[in-house]
Amino acid sequence: MQTVFVTGGAGFIGSALVRLLIAETDWRIVNIDKLTYAGNLESLFEAGRNPRHVFSRTDICDRAALDALFAQYRPAGVIHLAAESHVDRSIHGPGDFIATNITGTYTLLEAARGYWSSLDEAGQRAFRFHHVSTDEVFGSLGPTGFFSETTAYDPRSPYSASKAASDHLVRAWRHTYGLPTLVTNCSNNYGPCQFPEKLIPLMILNALAGKPLPIYGRGDNVRDWLYVDDHARALKLVFERGEPGATYCIGGHNEKTNLEVVDSLCRLLDRLKPRPDGRSYLEQKTFVADRPGHDQRYAIDATKIGRELGWRPLESFESGLEKTVRWYLDHPDWVAHVQSGAYRQWLEQHYGGRA
Ligand code: NAD
Ligand code: DAU
């Protein structure tokens, strides 16, 4: 049984990946997460209680703690998702983004390199450091064109600049030290267990609470939406079969304006959970001040990962969005714990604070 480190495994995408890896492999997963406001162990469901899941509450900036984990568990690889992930938060307070996304990735790379250098030749060849990144590092597109593996970097928010820096560090550790790295750059994810600061869960929960649905600017910014389980499958595939040193772009072929997304959500909710007064959730749409430096359009050309690794998304935007809305309607406990802050007590209750 091999051991794999997943950082950020209590977050939105990390928890989907941990659930997938526990279900579909016999690997032991060491889930390394600091449990910031975005970390929620409840999102792991049964996978969190599986004996092959080991949780460690660790900050990726803590070199000594990381060294101890590498020495204790001797992993075959690392899939690195831990990050500060929300663009609006990065605009209001960039400090945590610089610390975790840049210094944290640097610290993790150095801990991984120290451990990797101690392996025999076969162990070194087999080891993988997979860095999970975003399409936002490429900047903003006009009405046409796509981001691909050869697009030049042009990050424009504190979040995307910090992720770009981390991508550069990872590639530098490959070129300079030979660490077998992989980088994936993915478009906007949506699905179960996403923290309700991001567009889709925020709109679902605001709609149900009878609150305004705040649309930035004119609502004509475009994102390329990918269902989170499709991303998790792509990450597993790249980690297992990707070419060391390579980059793979991952995207959903689902370009939508924010207005289209909000309208679709309102119509779904009108069908699945009609408003008590019989009116449409569309009436709650509200245009608000734009996000500073708001990138206009993202879209990914995912040809390479399809051609080389045979990946393609299984969900359409329509099927994925309906699954997502149903998931939020069917999980009032998860939602209530996130909204009340009770999810932060889970660690104490289930691990006696010892993790
Ligand atoms: P998230 O905010 O939901 O989760 C991040 C997780 O990282 C949380 O569990 C948090 O506790 C943990 N974390 C934060 N700082 C840490 C630290 N210093 N040490 C250890 N753990 C720490 O994020 P997400 O949306 O799941 O994104 C995961 C990764 O995927 C990020 O690297 C993000 O940049 C990337 N990504 C996200 C999207 C998206 O649409 N959400 C798209 C492409 C790429
Ligand atoms: O593209 C990948 C990126 O997608 C990831 O790297 C980030 O971690 C992830 O947060 C996401 O970034 P975005 O800024 O695109 O996602 P967000 O959900 O914050 O916003 C999506 C779009 O919706 C964006 O154009 C801003 C707009 N928006 C967002 C919120 C929260 C609104 O109009 N109103 C809102 O209230």
Side-chain angles (χ1 to χ4, degrees), residues 85 134-136 159 188 198-199 214 216 223 258 291 294:
S85 70
T134 169
D135 59 358
E136 299 199 11
Y159 163 70
N188 283 63
K198 306 285 182 355
L199 178 73
Y216 298 164
R223 297 292 181 265
N258 295 334
R291 171 186 281 175
H294 198 170

Side-chain angles (χ1 to χ4, degrees), residues 85-93 97 159 197 216 291-292:
S85 70
H86 193 45
V87 174
D88 293 328
R89 283 182 192 257
S90 85
I91 294 167
H92 296 295
F97 290 73
Y159 163 70
E197 63 189 351
Y216 298 164
R291 171 186 281 175

Side-chain angles (χ1 to χ4, degrees), residues 130-194:
H130 178 168
H131 176 60
V132 178
S133 192
T134 169
D135 59 358
E136 299 199 11
V137 298
F138 301 124
S140 180
L141 291 164
T144 59
F146 297 91
F147 299 134
S148 77
E149 290 78 7
T150 55
T151 304
Y153 274 44
D154 183 22
R156 296 146 49 101
S157 73
Y159 163 70
S160 55
S162 69
K163 289 297 289 187
S166 66
D167 293 12
H168 291 320
L169 290 172
V170 171
R171 293 196 182 98
W173 261 240
R174 162 79 180 163
H175 286 285
T176 308
Y177 306 111
L179 189 71
T181 60
L182 296 154
V183 177
T184 47
N185 296 96
C186 187
S187 62
N188 283 63
N189 284 217
Y190 69 102
C193 303
Q194 188 166 30

